[in-house]
Amino acid sequence: FYFRNKHRPFLLFVSLLHVHTPLITTEKFQGRSRHGLYGDNVEEMDWMVGRLLDVIDKEGLKNTTFVYFASDHGGFLEAHRGNSQLGGWNGIYKGGKGMGGWEGGIRVPGIVRWPGVLPAGTVIDEPTSLMDIYPTVVQLAGGAVPQDRVVDGHTLLPLLQGTVQHSRHEFLFHYCGVFLHAVRWHQKDSGTVWKAHYATPVFQPEGSGACFTRGICPCFGDGVTHHDPPLLFNLSQDPSEANPLSADTEPL
């Protein structure tokens, strides 16, 4: 692929089976990690991404290739085999895969590499979306997104290059299937990020942060609690979504 296209623009989309159940890890990486089969899977994925980047570097394409690494969802908390957790871990963030609202299901890595253009070690703490990949790629290719419809994504380049300080997403709507579960508001003047939950999954057992008895949380029906008024969180101060706000505690 590289040898055919290295002298002209190319788009390479690699969709890795890692780090996802059933964690099919080759023999070379089994038992390599101190963190069980999931850790082995992470190490193998790291090696695969490294091989791709090595080829880009070797072909002299490092400074002209935009690389974007991300995931489509957070860790799958319910995936277990015996005492082994097969589906990852989401750190301080509540919930996981299949949950349309909680941060653990929707906050994912976003790592960008473009040495000729973007400075190394930059951290951008702004809400963006996988929907932004499409307009970013279109801009990089010198094209224009269609003007006859609303395109929900925004090019990431101004944010990455520092020509703007804030993401163009003032609101992000978080769906579970076709059901709206939460809305994020990025308050521009203060920089605060608020999130309102209209529906949340019923954790089983209660307080576990996951739906262990169901295998994965449902989007609707008796497995969901509806909130009226919605649960409101200040993500800037409470990223773990542990303390819902009320008019009593937060008059603003």
Side-chain angles (χ1 to χ4, degrees):
F1 174 87
Y2 287 108
F3 302 109
R4 286 201 313 272
N5 293 281
K6 68 180 183 180
H7 298 302
R8 54 186 177 152
F10 63 83
L11 172 67
L12 175 63
F13 180 87
V14 181
S15 190
L16 295 163
L17 194 63
H18 305 61
V19 284
H20 199 291
T21 54
L23 300 182
I24 298 165
T25 311
T26 58
E27 215 171 291
K28 180 182 171 185
F29 284 91
Q30 285 176 16
R32 283 271 291 266
S33 166
R34 290 178 300 173
H35 301 283
L37 192 54
Y38 189 88
D40 296 345
N41 227 239
V42 173
E43 294 209 10
E44 184 164 33
M45 178 181 69
D46 182 61
W47 172 79
M48 292 165 75
V49 172
R51 290 292 301 270
L52 286 168
L53 296 179
D54 286 347
V55 172
I56 289 171
D57 295 356
K58 197 175 87 201
E59 295 299 326
L61 300 171
K62 183 156 98 175
N63 288 0
T64 53
T65 302
F66 178 87
V67 177
Y68 186 99
F69 176 90
S71 177
D72 58 342
H73 56 71
F76 181 11
L77 301 179
E78 293 87 356
H80 277 75
R81 184 187 301 152
N83 292 326
S84 300
Q85 189 169 346
L86 300 183
W89 178 66
N90 296 317
I92 66 167
Y93 303 113
K94 184 182 284 187
K97 178 188 174 177
M99 301 183 208
W102 295 120
E103 290 292 277
I106 56 180
R107 188 186 281 244
V108 295
I111 303 170
V112 172
R113 188 185 91 145
W114 194 4
V117 179
L118 305 176
T122 305
V123 177
I124 297 171
D125 187 16
E126 288 286 304
T128 62
S129 165
L130 295 182
M131 295 185 295
D132 298 333
I133 294 174
Y134 168 61
T136 303
V137 167
V138 168
Q139 184 181 358
L140 285 168
V145 296
Q147 299 299 304
D148 61 344
R149 70 204 71 183
V150 175
V151 175
D152 291 321
H154 302 294
T155 174
L156 293 169
L157 294 181
L159 195 58
L160 294 172
Q161 293 173 323
T163 56
V164 301
Q165 299 307 309
H166 294 296
S167 161
R168 282 181 60 192
H169 291 287
E170 184 179 1
F171 294 96
L172 283 169
F173 295 84
H174 302 301
Y175 285 83
C176 185
V178 297
F179 301 93
L180 181 66
H181 275 208
V183 176
R184 177 186 309 258
W185 177 35
H186 187 214
Q187 195 178 2
K188 288 285 185 282
D189 52 356
S190 67
T192 304
V193 179
W194 307 89
K195 188 143 94 183
H197 288 261
Y198 298 94
T200 54
V202 177
F203 292 146
Q204 300 165 318
E206 194 179 336
S208 64
C211 301
F212 289 109
T213 53
R214 289 179 183 262
I216 195 162
C217 289
C219 296
F220 64 97
D222 62 358
V224 165
T225 302
H226 292 273
H227 303 282
D228 185 14
L231 292 179
L232 181 65
F233 296 93
N234 178 346
L235 291 186
S236 302
Q237 293 182 353
D238 180 23
S240 300
E241 299 174 287
N243 305 302
L245 304 174
S246 71
D248 303 328
T249 59
E250 188 79 32
L252 172 68

